[in-house]
Amino acid sequence: MNHIYFWRTGSAVFLMLTISVATLVAQPLTGAGSELYKEKQPDPVRGHYKSISKFDAQPSESGEEIDRLKYPLTDNDLQRANSRKPYYLTENESFEIKAYPANSSEQTRKEIDYLLALQEQRFKEDMDICLYMATVWFSHSYKPGDKEYPRMRRNLYFIGRSIGTWFNADSLPATTQLVSNVWADASFYIWKYKIEFARIRPYKLEPKLKNIEETNWPAYPSGHAANSYVNAYLFSELAPEFKDVFIKDALDMAHSRERIGVHYPSDSEASRLLARQLVNKLFESAEFREDFAKAKEEWTRVRARNF
């Protein structure tokens, strides 16, 4: 319920309007004049992504045969994609995700050369970390009592894991439910575009590239990178002071997929851009805004108790 209060100081009369959390949640959080959430633009491209993106992404004149190479989709791939349903979003949202660079393009050659250079810099300890990061994913198929259920819940907090001991599924049940729901939205659209583009993995184009993980689905966009950036952008709205930590963790996840030879840099960059759009779109959902408000209150309460 909303309330209006009046009080007098000397000859002046002041008015204060208090608005309930429910009323704030019910208000649109996007669009012109919004003070609670304004659509965020992605940070400018930088690093090796920026350098590589300057090269021509169009097919070469002699590349017709190689450009026909696609990831061979199976019935299992299609079933895996079709079994996913978004939670807050509809199945017909529109996101800008451009076609990947042609297999025969100058840009793809530069991307593969970059991956080969990374391959020369591999060492065991680094690869152990990358392979561990490959196991950081989440599935709604695991339920309480399942052996893997605790690990799935921990994985939701891999991005941002260094910000405090309170940052975990047990301390933040409302946040855990929110992120779990958002994971369904992200996975739906990641798989939608994986199936649509069916990009072949880089080690299939370059025999010298030795992947150290088997990946049985298309490359573009990167699921690990996209989900990590979604979490990073979502957590940044809950705790803006830790944005640099969240983004660095997501960048590390994306780069780990390049280091083990299973993703092109353009897979990672497309995932970053898709994630930014997806989180913007989530704030247009009234149900999401309501759940986000609960998570925000939870963070305020839990952090106050731990400091």
Side-chain angles (χ1 to χ4, degrees):
M1 179 178 296
N2 303 333
H3 302 278
I4 298 177
Y5 299 93
F6 295 89
W7 74 96
R8 180 182 298 274
T9 301
S11 60
V13 176
F14 294 86
L15 176 149
M16 179 175 70
L17 172 64
T18 64
I19 304 177
S20 67
V21 172
T23 300
L24 286 174
V25 169
Q27 301 304 312
L29 295 184
T30 57
S34 169
E35 297 180 358
L36 298 178
Y37 181 82
K38 292 186 179 180
E39 182 175 297
K40 306 293 195 306
Q41 295 301 312
D43 293 330
V45 60
R46 58 181 177 172
H48 63 288
Y49 304 112
K50 182 176 181 179
S51 300
I52 291 173
S53 66
K54 294 178 180 178
F55 291 94
D56 190 0
Q58 299 305 309
S60 67
E61 292 183 1
S62 59
E64 184 177 350
E65 182 175 352
I66 191 174
D67 286 325
R68 285 199 295 267
L69 293 177
K70 294 275 190 178
Y71 177 86
L73 294 170
T74 65
D75 290 341
N76 184 56
D77 295 320
L78 298 176
Q79 182 179 2
R80 183 190 298 221
N82 292 333
S83 67
R84 286 170 162 77
K85 300 297 178 185
Y87 188 90
Y88 295 113
L89 303 180
T90 72
E91 296 184 13
N92 301 302
E93 307 291 353
S94 178
F95 299 110
E96 292 184 13
I97 179 167
K98 64 182 181 180
Y100 62 83
N103 293 341
S104 67
S105 70
E106 184 183 18
Q107 182 172 331
T108 295
R109 185 64 253 173
K110 294 298 182 182
E111 293 195 51
I112 290 176
D113 289 344
Y114 176 76
L115 297 181
L116 288 171
L118 285 180
Q119 182 171 277
E120 292 300 313
Q121 299 175 5
R122 289 176 181 170
F123 53 91
K124 183 180 183 304
E125 293 81 2
D126 186 44
M127 291 302 98
D128 286 345
I129 293 171
C130 289
L131 286 173
Y132 172 76
M133 293 172 79
T135 70
V136 177
W137 47 276
F138 179 79
S139 172
H140 292 90
S141 64
Y142 294 100
K143 305 301 179 185
D146 293 341
K147 181 180 178 181
E148 290 297 304
Y149 182 73
R151 182 173 71 89
M152 290 293 109
R153 285 163 57 86
R154 287 195 303 272
N155 286 350
L156 293 175
Y157 291 89
F158 185 81
I159 301 301
R161 61 198 179 278
S162 65
I163 69 171
T165 56
W166 56 272
F167 186 69
N168 61 72
D170 292 332
S171 297
L172 301 167
T175 304
T176 302
Q177 189 60 56
L178 175 74
V179 180
S180 172
N181 295 343
V182 167
W183 200 280
D185 292 296
S187 294
F188 176 83
Y189 279 99
I190 290 166
W191 271 91
K192 177 186 181 211
Y193 292 122
K194 279 184 177 292
I195 296 300
E196 178 180 327
F197 289 109
R199 188 181 196 182
I200 197 169
R201 294 282 175 168
Y203 53 84
K204 295 294 186 180
L205 292 182
E206 176 52 79
K208 294 179 182 178
L209 186 60
K210 306 302 180 183
N211 57 302
I212 59 173
E213 180 198 27
E214 281 302 319
T215 48
N216 299 318
W217 44 84
Y220 189 85
S222 164
H224 279 78
N227 281 311
S228 296
Y229 277 113
V230 166
N231 277 19
Y233 294 139
L234 181 60
F235 291 152
S236 293
E237 294 300 324
L238 291 165
E241 69 271 30
F242 290 119
K243 177 183 176 182
D244 59 328
V245 177
F246 301 137
I247 299 302
K248 175 61 165 59
D249 285 351
L251 176 62
D252 285 345
M253 176 64 80
H255 196 229
S256 75
R257 309 300 290 159
E258 298 164 29
R259 290 192 65 81
I260 62 178
V262 297
H263 275 293
Y264 309 83
S266 52
D267 295 340
S268 302
E269 181 60 11
S271 298
R272 182 180 76 93
L273 299 177
L274 175 61
R276 179 71 275 173
Q277 294 177 71
L278 194 141
V279 172
N280 284 340
K281 182 65 71 173
L282 283 168
F283 275 93
E284 296 180 11
S285 162
E287 185 178 3
F288 169 82
R289 294 196 303 268
E290 182 175 357
D291 289 348
F292 179 84
K294 294 174 184 176
K296 184 76 170 178
E297 185 279 330
E298 179 178 69
W299 279 48
T300 301
R301 173 168 38 81
V302 172
R303 292 176 68 184
R305 190 170 65 232
N306 282 272
F307 290 99

